[in-house]
Amino acid sequence: MTKQRTIATPVKTVGIGLHSGRKVTISIKPAPINSGVQFVRVDTPDQSVVPATALAVCDTRLASVIQKDGIRVSTVEHLLSACAGLGLDNLLIELDGEEVPIMDGSAASFLFLIESAGIAEQNAPRQFLVMKKPVEVREGDKLARLEPFFGFKLDFTIDFKHPAVDKTGQRFIVDFAEHAYRSEIGRARTFGFAHEVEALREMGLARGGSLDNAIVLDEHRILNNEELRYEDEFVRHKILDAIGDLYLIGRPIVGAYVAEKSGHALTNALLRKLLEDPSAYEICSFAENKAPAAYSQESQPLFFKGFLTT
């Protein structure tokens, strides 16, 4: 059977929150089967636990924020994206602050951290959410849809009216039966516009943003001295975000995600609509030789090489 996974050993790092600007220590630890991904705020008196679930999302302004009993954990999407990309089901993530650190603005640092810990298979079948019929949400000209597909594929279109973005691809399709998360998506950085910074900081956002952890654009060009990591890095980062946001459903999705000008809010609205209609999906496990290629270890040796331990 396709088995659940956690990390083999605990790992720890320190970083800055993109929006809070505060230093935070994050510790990622193994967790038991069927426990899912849970955040622990070790800076609170009772060390509050906040499960990473779609229904726990309380704020989607430029990040996904989850909450339980008034205790928040913000900017969870990049770490959850790395967890999804590496097939991790059960984790305990301890933070001594409210916000997951931004690191370099992509999922690359989390991938490296998890690589140093190793991945351990657990003696329980992995449970997948298999799409049975399309589910869609719209907001004006924005769209997010999940539909049946035997694998995991994302088709994302952005539309930013900016000279630097116009020069890059504004649509990207990735099928994880053919491409690896680490090489195609994991290094794509978040981005923002210099003219919005002052207003965002007045809202309590982007206080930790810098050229070290984001692609920053003025009215005409990219301000970072380094080259883009992908020629279409902007849309690939939107896919990175979407993968993390989709992982808040609590299980890997067997299906296709289609988005046009979508973001954190619309993706969460999509998941909530999905959960309201049990006829749209089923929960199941697969024998290893019956799993979709996107989730098969044997079909993606470069994806898992160097990670899996027993």
Side-chain angles (χ1 to χ4, degrees):
M1 63 183 174
T2 304
K3 295 182 179 180
Q4 295 181 30
R5 299 185 179 97
T6 187
I7 59 172
T9 58
V11 285
K12 179 187 292 187
T13 192
V14 178
I16 299 296
L18 173 64
H19 295 301
S20 67
R22 295 175 181 169
K23 180 179 175 182
V24 61
T25 299
I26 179 170
S27 300
I28 306 175
K29 298 181 176 181
I33 60 172
N34 299 324
S35 60
V37 178
Q38 299 188 75
F39 290 87
V40 182
R41 286 283 305 276
V42 298
D43 59 320
T44 61
D46 57 353
Q47 299 206 353
S48 300
V49 177
V50 183
T53 66
L55 297 181
V57 173
C58 64
D59 193 348
T60 53
R61 294 176 301 163
L62 300 182
S64 288
V65 183
I66 56 176
Q67 176 178 275
K68 183 180 179 182
D69 299 330
I71 303 300
R72 294 161 53 103
V73 178
S74 66
T75 320
V76 299
E77 61 273 11
H78 297 174
L79 175 54
L80 291 180
S81 187
C83 293
L86 292 176
L88 294 170
D89 302 284
N90 306 304
L91 287 176
L92 199 63
I93 302 168
E94 297 180 348
L95 298 166
D96 65 356
E98 179 179 310
E99 189 173 14
V100 175
I102 189 61
M103 311 311 286
D104 74 341
S106 74
S109 296
F110 296 122
L111 294 173
F112 176 82
L113 195 64
I114 293 166
E115 180 181 20
S116 69
I119 293 176
E121 282 193 340
Q122 298 174 291
N123 192 26
R126 196 174 200 207
Q127 294 185 322
F128 296 82
L129 187 149
V130 180
M131 294 299 302
K132 303 299 290 182
K133 68 180 186 182
V135 176
E136 177 180 296
V137 291
R138 291 179 178 268
E139 182 183 296
D141 61 352
K142 300 176 182 180
L143 160 73
R145 181 172 68 244
L146 279 166
E147 57 192 28
F149 175 76
F150 194 66
F152 187 47
K153 179 171 69 172
L154 296 97
D155 179 348
F156 207 113
T157 302
I158 60 175
D159 184 20
F160 287 94
K161 306 300 184 185
H162 187 281
V165 183
D166 286 341
K167 292 178 182 178
T168 74
Q170 299 216 40
R171 183 186 182 192
F172 190 69
I173 302 172
V174 59
D175 183 340
F176 287 107
E178 302 173 0
H179 303 286
Y181 174 90
R182 277 197 295 163
S183 59
E184 299 297 326
I185 301 298
R187 298 179 64 247
R189 294 163 293 172
T190 192
F191 59 95
F193 300 92
H195 70 273
E196 297 176 348
V197 170
E198 185 174 346
L200 289 172
R201 289 180 174 171
E202 288 179 357
M203 296 167 60
L205 301 172
R207 291 177 176 176
S210 72
L211 296 175
D212 294 326
N213 55 37
I215 304 170
V216 182
L217 305 98
D218 66 11
E219 294 182 358
H220 306 288
R221 61 189 178 92
I222 297 171
L223 299 180
N224 306 61
N225 291 325
E226 62 181 300
E227 298 288 331
L228 292 177
R229 295 177 177 178
Y230 309 96
E231 62 181 21
D232 48 5
E233 188 169 355
F234 302 101
V235 67
R236 293 198 196 209
H237 182 77
K238 287 293 187 178
I239 289 178
L240 185 155
D241 278 347
I243 291 171
D245 288 338
L246 289 170
Y247 215 55
L248 286 163
I249 203 68
R251 296 176 174 90
I253 293 172
V254 177
Y257 174 77
V258 180
E260 297 176 9
K261 303 168 68 173
S262 183
H264 303 299
L266 207 60
T267 301
N268 186 250
L270 176 66
L271 294 185
R272 288 172 181 262
K273 185 174 182 179
L274 173 64
L275 292 172
E276 291 172 356
D277 184 3
S279 69
Y281 65 91
E282 66 177 352
I283 306 299
C284 69
S285 299
F286 294 101
E288 178 61 33
N289 63 348
K290 300 294 185 181
Y295 293 111
S296 170
Q297 180 187 340
E298 292 181 358
S299 72
Q300 296 215 21
L302 293 178
F303 182 79
F304 287 100
K305 185 176 181 182
F307 283 84
L308 191 63
T309 64
T310 55

